[in-house]
Amino acid sequence: MPIPTEPVGSLPRPAKLQAAIADYDAGKITHEELKAVQDAACKDSIERMEATGAPIISDGEQRASSFATYPLAETLAGTGLASNLAGDGQYFAIFTDGHHRQLPRLTSGPFRYKTYAADYLREAMKMADKPLKQAVIAPSMLYLLYPLDGEIEGYTREQFMEDLVDECEKDIRLCFAAGAKRVSIDFTEGRLACRNDPNNPWTGRGMLEEFIALNNRVLDRFSAEERKNIGIHTCPGGDCDATHSADVDYAELLPSMFKMNAGYFLIQLASETDKERVYKLLGEHSREDANGVPQVCFIGVINPQNPRVETPEEVRDDLLLASKYIPVERLGSTDDCGFSPFSIDVKPKHGSPDFARDVAFQKIESRVKGTQMASEELGVA
Ligand SMILES: [Zn+2]
C-alpha cells in the first residue's frame, strides 16, 4: 500500500468570505446571503483540492467559525452563541506575535453543541467527487469552557464531562454517518498544556494527563475497526502565521499523546528545527497495538505558515528519513496544521488570504507528489 497522505482540514477563507462574515456580524446581510458566499468558497476549495491529485480532501472548513468554536457559535465575533455561554472565557492560546484567541465560558448546564461538524460535511458531500475527511474538536479543548476553579451551580464538573464526552462521540459518529472516510480530532491544546505560561493560567496546571484521559473516554467508545479511521492532530498552533507552543519540547508531549487509543496521528514536523530527533521519538513512542489498532504517524511535510512552497523532493526526503525510525506501514504524510484554523485570518506573511489559498493548493500538490515519490523509493507504491 502506498504511503497515505491526508490534510488537517482548513484553508484560508477568501477575502470575500471574510468580508461577508463581518457584514453578517454587523447585521448588513442575512444568513442566507452569508451561506451563498460560504457555498461558493466550499465549492472552490473542494474543486481545487481535488485538482491537486490528493486522495482525500476536505471542504477547507469554510463554514466553520474556527476549528474549536464551530459547535458553539456561527462567527468568531460570537454571533449565534448558545444562551448558556458567555463571551468572556479563558484564553485558550496566546500566540508568539502577541495576539490571543479566547473561548466562551459555560454559565449553566446542560452542555450541548449547536452545530455538529457533520452539518458542514453533508453540504460538502454534495460538491465532492473524492473521499472527504472531517476534523472535529477534541473534548480536551472544550473542557476549558468550564471554569478552571470551583463549580457551576447546579451543574457539576463530572456532569459536564459526561455531557461533553457524549457530544464529542456524537460529533464523530455523525461524520461517519454522513460519509466521512476519516475523522481527525484537533488536539492543539496538547502541546500548549506543557507551556506553563504565567499569562495563561490553565497552561500551568499540568493538565496534559487529564486531557489524555478525557479524550480516551471518547475514543474508548469506538471499536478498533472504527478507530483505524479516527486520528489525532497535534501542532504548536497556527493562526495569522504565528504559533503558540513551538518552544515546548516534543519530548514532553509525545509519550503521553500516544497513550490515546487513536489509529493515526497528524503531527506538525516540517517547521521543527530538528526533525530527525522527532522522527526518532515517534518511532519510540507510537504503538504497534493501541487497544487493537496500530498507530500510524502522519508526519508534517508542509509548513502552512511559510509562503515558500516545499518541493516534492523535499517531501520525499523527509519521508525517507522518517522511515529510518518509523515502520513504513505506520508512516503517512500531512500538512503541519490547517492552513487557517480560524475564519478571520489575513495570513500576514502571505500578504493576503487569497494569495495564501493559491499557495496552499501548490503545497498540497507537492505533498501528494513527494509522498508518491517516497512510496516508489521505498517499494510500496
Ligand atoms: Zn494545528
Side-chain angles (χ1 to χ4, degrees):
M1 197 185 82
I3 296 170
T5 188
E6 176 175 327
V8 171
S10 67
L11 289 168
R13 284 37 158 202
K16 192 181 168 189
L17 174 54
Q18 295 193 39
I21 295 167
D23 286 345
Y24 180 62
D25 281 329
K28 289 183 193 160
I29 62 169
T30 63
H31 188 264
E32 212 163 275
E33 287 168 312
L34 173 64
K35 186 173 181 295
V37 186
Q38 289 173 332
D39 284 344
C42 280
K43 190 164 182 288
D44 184 66
S45 300
I46 287 169
E47 284 175 1
R48 293 175 75 186
M49 228 191 285
E50 287 184 338
T52 64
I56 182 163
I57 61 155
S58 75
D59 71 348
E61 300 177 11
Q62 302 293 290
R63 299 174 202 276
S65 52
S66 80
F67 72 104
T69 55
Y70 72 85
L72 315 172
E74 288 176 73
T75 72
L76 281 176
T79 303
L81 193 66
S83 58
N84 60 344
L85 292 170
D88 61 344
Q90 313 193 49
Y91 292 149
F92 89 78
I94 300 172
F95 292 80
T96 46
D97 62 357
H99 87 280
H100 63 259
R101 294 288 190 178
Q102 195 170 9
L103 283 168
R105 174 174 60 89
L106 191 68
T107 56
S108 65
F111 174 70
R112 298 282 183 269
Y113 284 14
K114 278 193 80 177
T115 302
Y116 295 89
D119 298 339
Y120 302 142
L121 180 66
R122 279 188 287 270
E123 298 285 325
M125 291 294 294
K126 299 177 205 161
M127 299 174 173
D129 294 321
K130 286 197 172 172
L132 280 157
K133 72 153 298 179
Q134 181 64 47
V136 297
I137 190 57
S140 49
M141 170 68 83
L142 297 180
Y143 182 57
L144 296 171
L145 295 173
Y146 200 94
L148 263 191
D149 295 305
E151 270 193 356
I152 295 173
E153 211 187 314
Y155 193 51
T156 66
R157 186 175 296 273
E158 187 46 43
Q159 279 176 315
F160 166 64
M161 285 167 81
E162 275 171 31
D163 287 340
L164 177 58
V165 169
D166 285 346
E167 288 295 271
C168 291
E169 179 194 4
K170 185 176 171 187
D171 203 22
I172 296 170
R173 290 206 184 278
L174 286 172
C175 288
F176 285 124
K181 193 171 179 203
R182 309 265 276 179
V183 177
S184 62
I185 300 170
D186 284 326
F187 183 54
T188 187
E189 65 282 11
R191 196 160 170 186
L192 187 55
C194 307
R195 180 97 201 288
N196 211 356
D197 178 356
N199 296 314
N200 197 6
W202 76 261
T203 67
R205 297 286 187 102
M207 292 173 85
L208 181 59
E209 294 307 320
E210 216 175 324
F211 284 178
I212 301 288
L214 178 61
N215 294 345
N216 262 340
R217 277 173 68 171
V218 173
L219 288 166
D220 289 346
R221 292 185 174 188
F222 292 87
S223 68
E225 201 52 38
E226 288 169 324
R227 279 182 289 113
K228 274 184 196 165
N229 292 314
I230 301 177
I232 299 278
H233 165 57
T234 180
C235 69
D239 183 31
C240 302
D241 294 332
T243 57
H244 55 54
S245 55
D247 54 346
V248 171
D249 189 338
Y250 252 138
E252 288 187 50
L253 170 70
L254 295 178
S256 300
M257 186 183 81
F258 285 112
K259 285 187 208 160
M260 284 186 281
N261 296 319
Y264 73 102
F265 291 80
L266 302 171
I267 304 157
Q268 166 267 349
L269 247 158
S271 57
E272 284 296 302
T273 44
D274 187 353
K275 298 182 204 179
E276 188 164 4
R277 176 173 170 268
V278 183
Y279 298 150
K280 197 162 175 256
L281 288 169
L282 299 181
E284 282 166 11
H285 295 287
S286 64
R287 289 180 290 157
E288 179 59 51
D289 181 359
N291 199 12
V293 285
Q295 293 182 323
V296 182
C297 299
F298 285 66
I299 60 162
V301 292
I302 296 295
N303 180 2
Q305 302 195 7
N306 185 339
R308 186 188 74 84
V309 178
E310 294 81 354
T311 65
E313 289 76 16
E314 287 170 328
V315 170
R316 174 199 61 196
D317 292 348
D318 281 353
L319 284 162
L320 293 180
L321 184 57
S323 74
K324 284 169 61 181
Y325 303 98
I326 304 162
V328 67
E329 65 278 8
R330 287 202 288 115
L331 181 62
S333 73
T334 185
D335 309 315
D336 272 11
C337 190
F339 286 86
S340 267
F342 293 87
S343 53
I344 303 303
D345 182 349
V346 297
K347 295 294 280 181
K349 285 184 193 160
H350 290 71
S352 82
D354 292 344
F355 178 69
R357 282 172 68 83
D358 296 345
V359 170
F361 296 116
Q362 291 170 40
K363 283 176 172 260
I364 293 168
E365 194 171 334
S366 277
R367 167 163 60 74
V368 171
K369 281 189 181 148
T371 304
Q372 174 65 23
M373 287 159 71
S375 292
E376 282 161 17
E377 197 110 345
L378 291 168
V380 293

